Amino acid sequence: MKEVTLRQLEYFAAIAETRSVTEAAQRCHVSQAAVSLALGQLEEALGATLAIRRRGKGVALTAEGQAVAVRARQVADQIDGMAAAVNQVHGDLSGRLVVGVFRTLALHVIPPLIDWFTSHHPQVELDFIEGAGPEVQEAVLEGRAQLAAAYEAQLLPDCEAEILRPTMRQVALSPEHPLAARDKIRLAELAPYPAILVNEEPALQRTLAEFDRAGVTPTVRWRSASVQVIQNVVGRNLAYSLLMQPVRHSPEGRPLVFRPVDGRMHSNSVVAALPAGVARSALVREALVALRHHWAAENDEGSLVGGHGFTPG
């Protein structure tokens, strides 16, 4: 086998992440011809076709290309890690960090990470891939992201989880709702009232399964894939919902209250999904610190669950 160079792996990792030779060249600050040449040399060295160019549709990785992309990303991360190790001596981090984010968690993950890295490590280039839980984890497994924020129930077999925040579904209500004054609410008590549920799998089926286990048929009037839409509907006292992340107000500024369910509910923690068996880079470790700090700060400021007022969180 001919020699595989670090530059070939660096360029191929960029191709795998961007699915474009043009964008890979821009990211690596070289010409398209240099990236194309490196790809051809890498394929020749490995004796396999790694990528297929599709006119007007970018680049598609072959099965061999997907396997190589993961390792190429690991090598690139290790090279970045060497620079990061030197910078850490001076208290700085640099390099590129790509985080996959399950779309309903984006509001709780992206702003705090941008805030943290802008404040603490401004030299880090931070990017995000938003999508469904399996999609953002596939980005991790394909080497296009270094970690993904998702829910425990969504975890793929080839990923391992680090818990960021233990959570379970809570009843989201307007303070004007007849049940808002209750400390805990049984699912049976919710049955007569209209509900709006998250139209995202596996969240929807898990929510309906909770009702089914309790022998309750909910009155599901509406469904939406947008948590912000659901919060606005609840804030207008048009329906209740079952949500994972408590907030004080809807996006429209109307107050919300969150109450625990009286009875056994399955937990579904927010987790960082990482490729199994892969060492954490300095950037990944710092992202985990940032996210844990964010949710710890929320817990310290006060819970939104229980009670009859609104406490920070």
Side-chain angles (χ1 to χ4, degrees), residues 6-25:
L6 292 176
R7 193 166 300 281
Q8 291 167 3
L9 293 175
E10 177 191 358
Y11 293 174
F12 183 64
I15 292 173
E17 290 180 13
T18 62
R19 294 296 197 268
S20 165
V21 171
T22 301
E23 291 185 30

Side-chain angles (χ1 to χ4, degrees), residues 265-280:
M265 291 285 285
H266 290 267
S267 64
N268 189 16
S269 298
V270 179
V271 300
L274 302 132
V278 176
R280 277 63 162 149

